[in-house]
Amino acid sequence: MSPVAALRLPAQVDLRGFIALLQRIQVPHRVSEESGEQVLWVPGEAIAEQVRELYERFPRGDEAFAGQPLGEPATPTPSLALQLRKHAMTTAILGLTFLIAALTLVGDNFAAIRWLSFVDFQIQGRHAYFADFSHTLASGQWWRLLSPMLLHFGWLHLAMNSLWYWELGRRIETLQGRLTLLSLTLLFGLAANVAQYLYAGPSLFGGLSGVLYGLLGHCWLYQRLAPNPAYRLPPGVLVMMLAWLLICMTGIFELLQLAAIANAAHVGGLLVGCLTGLVGGALARRHR
């Protein structure tokens, strides 16, 4: 019987617990490394399907479920300190976001905000006067293409975006690695900021929400093409996020003067995220 690749995972994924589980239940297997990936081989497609289902349920294997029958509930999740170390890139980006929030007083310190906004601005009385984007580029202030994603206006804005970035960012970091998460974050931030500027013109906007919709689109279509446990979102999350996007696009929050929503940033991030998810998922599907 020819060996079948049951799993292909990034080299940084720790398979020791899952391998121990396979050994405990006496599943024949071997692990090899190919092109920076770990490949778990088993004898036959029937066993491979069972191993994939087992990995979806217990990716950490005996490390998390030692001594428990397979039908019992999972043990408590690792401590926060352990998760912060394990997801170092997610932690670093959130740490930088919190630092900027402190420096800008979560949207109240305009002297600091003007250095991070997409274009510079001056406040005179009750009016804000924005510089032209060409002036921004001519003066070498290239960081402004990305820095608005670190700006947040209010504690609720910061808290919601941070929680969602932690939820989605660590999934991508686990499956595709730290550099991929960093690259996608920068790409989605750039796409969201440029889309918002092209749509609304010179204005003050910011937040990780455009990046979040990019991460969501990436996980969504990657999972459709190359199903994996890391990108399987809880039921209803995708519907809720897309419904929220549509509600915001109606302009109801602006009409009620509750908030100004950067809808173009959300759409720009989502579209680019869907594109990277299609490419990444297609490549992963080919490897399988």
Side-chain angles (χ1 to χ4, degrees), residues 172-245:
I172 293 175
E173 185 171 1
T174 297
L175 184 68
Q176 295 186 267
R178 295 173 181 175
L179 289 180
T180 297
L181 174 61
L182 176 61
S183 300
L184 291 178
T185 298
L186 297 178
L187 175 62
F188 299 154
L190 176 63
N193 293 338
V194 171
Q196 183 62 30
Y197 180 82
L198 292 177
Y199 177 78
S203 57
L204 183 58
F205 58 86
L208 277 171
S209 50
V211 174
L212 296 180
Y213 273 101
L215 298 181
L216 179 71
H218 179 83
C219 292
W220 173 28
L221 291 186
Y222 193 110
Q223 166 72 5
R224 297 284 294 181
L225 293 175
N228 64 86
Y231 288 178
R232 181 177 294 121
L233 299 172
V237 165
L238 179 64
V239 174
M240 181 192 70
M241 293 289 284
L242 294 179
W244 177 255
L245 175 61

Side-chain angles (χ1 to χ4, degrees), residues 263-275:
N263 294 309
H266 297 171
V267 174
L270 178 62
L271 291 178
V272 176
C274 288
L275 179 60

Side-chain angles (χ1 to χ4, degrees), residues 139 146 152 216:
S139 58
L146 295 169
H152 287 85
L216 179 71

Side-chain angles (χ1 to χ4, degrees), residues 94-117:
L94 285 177
L96 180 59
T97 301
F98 295 149
L99 175 61
I100 296 301
L103 292 175
T104 60
L105 302 179
V106 200
D108 287 335
N109 183 0
F110 288 100
I113 290 173
R114 59 173 296 196
W115 286 101
L116 299 170
S117 57

